[in-house]
Amino acid sequence: MLYSDCPSRHNTPVNVIIGALILKEIFRLTDEEIVDTLPFDIRYQYALHTTSFEEQLLNDRTLGRFRAICNSSEEITGIDLIHDCIIKSSSSMVTLMKLNTGMRRMDSLMVASIAIQNNTAPI
């Protein structure tokens, strides 16, 4: 279901697509901005392990089609593949970086801390 049954062009590797989606969210970019920036920004290419590629693998339709396929799969199976991938990746990063997940970060002004103490935290 996620891949074509008939012979077709090579797929963009899922790790590149997921990585691009993560970069997109971190830097608050649109699909168009990440696709337009990737060929010219070595930092993004390095993060996605595409520096050696003659042509970058993302185009204007890649991310949208990937989301559509994942949504179709979720409707059929009930499994959110993107969410599961992010959760598994974050768990692996926690282990690799030996992070203490019991500690919670507060903003520098401690506004969130005061709001929580006064039970006025936004929902």
Side-chain angles (χ1 to χ4, degrees):
M1 158 134 165
L2 294 177
Y3 298 100
S4 176
D5 292 335
C6 60
S8 62
R9 290 182 39 221
H10 292 288
N11 293 322
T12 301
V14 174
N15 63 317
V16 172
I17 297 172
I18 294 291
L21 291 172
I22 291 171
L23 289 172
K24 184 176 121 35
E25 291 302 316
I26 289 172
F27 296 111
R28 296 185 175 140
L29 302 172
T30 64
D31 285 2
E32 292 79 21
E33 288 171 329
I34 190 77
V35 168
D36 291 345
T37 303
L38 183 60
F40 305 105
D41 196 327
I42 193 74
R43 298 170 303 172
Y44 289 3
Q45 293 174 21
Y46 183 79
L48 299 176
H49 300 280
T50 62
T51 53
S52 63
F53 295 3
E54 288 183 29
E55 185 177 322
Q56 293 303 308
L57 303 173
L58 294 180
N59 64 45
D60 57 341
R61 296 181 186 165
T62 305
L63 299 176
R65 287 180 177 166
F66 181 76
R67 278 193 220 93
I69 289 170
C70 288
N71 287 338
S72 295
S73 173
E74 183 178 4
E75 288 175 6
I76 293 168
T77 64
I79 299 170
D80 185 345
L81 296 172
I82 295 174
H83 178 265
D84 287 356
C85 180
I86 298 298
I87 295 300
K88 287 177 185 171
S89 295
S90 64
S91 297
S92 297
M93 284 186 249
V94 165
T95 303
L96 178 71
M97 297 173 72
K98 299 177 184 163
L99 298 176
N100 179 357
T101 58
M103 258 184 181
R104 298 289 179 221
R105 181 183 163 270
M106 289 190 196
D107 62 297
S108 58
L109 298 176
M110 295 187 34
V111 173
S113 173
I114 293 167
I116 290 170
Q117 286 176 345
N118 296 331
N119 291 326
T120 59
I123 297 174

